Amino acid sequence: MSLDADWRADVDAVDAALIDEYQSGFPVEERPFERVAREIAAETGADVDAAGLLDRVRDLRERGVFRRFGAVLNPPVIGSSTLAAVRAPEDRFDEVAEVINGYRQVNHNYRRDHEWNQWFVVTAGSRERRDEILEEIEERTGREVLALPMLTDYYIDLEFPVVNGDRFARESLESTDVSATRISENARGDLSPLEADLLLAIQDGFPLSATPYADVAREVDAPVDDVLAAVERLLADGCIKRIGCIVNHVVTGFTNNCMVVWDVPDDDLDARGEAVGSLPYVTLCYHRPRRSEQGWEYNMFTMIHGREADAVDAKIDELAADHLPFAHERLYSTETLKQTGARYEDLVADDAD
């Protein structure tokens, strides 16, 4: 789905507040839209109520501005996840992609302009199952797999304002909050039965109703107060990253992105990671292992999103000149081979297959 280049011309102050201010922080209470309507009415002076706000969210979703309304879940905390890559010969590229994409535990796969030209994410219920899938991919394709699990999350969040003329993400912001979070490859989430049921129920979004949490409570056959408490726990534990209106950045014009990999001295990694993660134009910043035996010497990954390719390149130049004066490579995404959410049926099961 695509929008007219002037899609922002049809967005009023209430829509703008919904789009830019409620990508996170949506109230965890029985009738959340009532509070949001009061907050937006106070901010904008508009006459808006909960029912009218719901209609606006539905309209923005139908127009493609929102992917969904609900929670952004955090697969590396709930299960065991890794980024991986293969070098697929051009004459077998589609064949290799078909094998990789055939695994439901693979939720992203992109062609990137690099020797390692297929980059995909595997998220499974256990580290053992994750590694089995990587081994199977090697055996079935005959291609060596480069496995790069996340070790430290410095900053990962695609929440940024879009009702603007920014050339790159967060051009209009001064800074973002950052903290180094270690990620275990053996994460299993330690979920209660209710939390597991809840994650399955909300993985594709909340119901767009006046009482979304009560609707979910009925689906999982639990009291709404228990569901609200479980959501709060999952937020506190990091299994849920945020709750709100999830923006479709491609539809809103942020069509250019680049993954940049850096060779940062190991003893300087955390300091550089936290400094770079706090830069508003850096949308992702994390530490992954070197694989020297496979010729991979990069240990820091960053991403920059923008509406203009030249603006993204300029910010990478700035990053290299001012913050990361180290060897690096720019891996531009040239084709989306698969893009879905992680499937939590596998992540919450004790014996995911």
Side-chain angles (χ1 to χ4, degrees), residues 16-56:
L18 263 176
I19 295 167
D20 279 356
E21 298 174 27
Y22 288 93
Q23 296 175 34
S24 66
F26 226 82
V28 183
E29 56 190 55
E30 203 157 343
R31 293 183 174 272
F33 285 95
E34 291 187 358
R35 185 202 288 191
V36 174
R38 290 194 299 270
E39 292 172 352
I40 291 180
E43 176 187 342
T44 65
D47 182 13
V48 60
D49 59 14
L53 209 61
L54 261 169
D55 286 341
R56 287 172 178 267

Side-chain angles (χ1 to χ4, degrees), residues 67-102:
R67 291 186 185 275
R68 67 185 188 281
F69 163 67
V72 173
L73 306 185
N74 196 0
V77 174
I78 301 167
S80 186
S81 181
T82 189
L83 178 67
V86 295
R87 292 174 287 208
E90 282 304 316
D91 61 352
R92 295 187 57 222
F93 189 90
D94 292 343
E95 172 198 340
V96 171
E98 185 175 0
V99 171
I100 293 170
N101 293 348

Side-chain angles (χ1 to χ4, degrees), residues 3 47 180 202 243 264 308 345:
L3 291 177
D47 182 13
I202 68 175
I243 294 174
V264 177
E308 301 175 7
E345 289 85 351

Side-chain angles (χ1 to χ4, degrees), residues 308-325:
E308 301 175 7
D310 289 348
V312 171
D313 271 331
K315 298 315 286 186
I316 298 172
D317 290 344
E318 178 182 323
L319 193 57
D322 298 345
H323 303 280
L324 292 172

Side-chain angles (χ1 to χ4, degrees), residues 194 197-198 201 213-224 226-227:
L194 172 58
D197 290 345
L198 179 59
Y213 299 104
D215 293 352
V216 171
R218 279 191 292 274
E219 182 177 344
V220 300
D221 193 23
V224 66
D226 290 356
V227 165

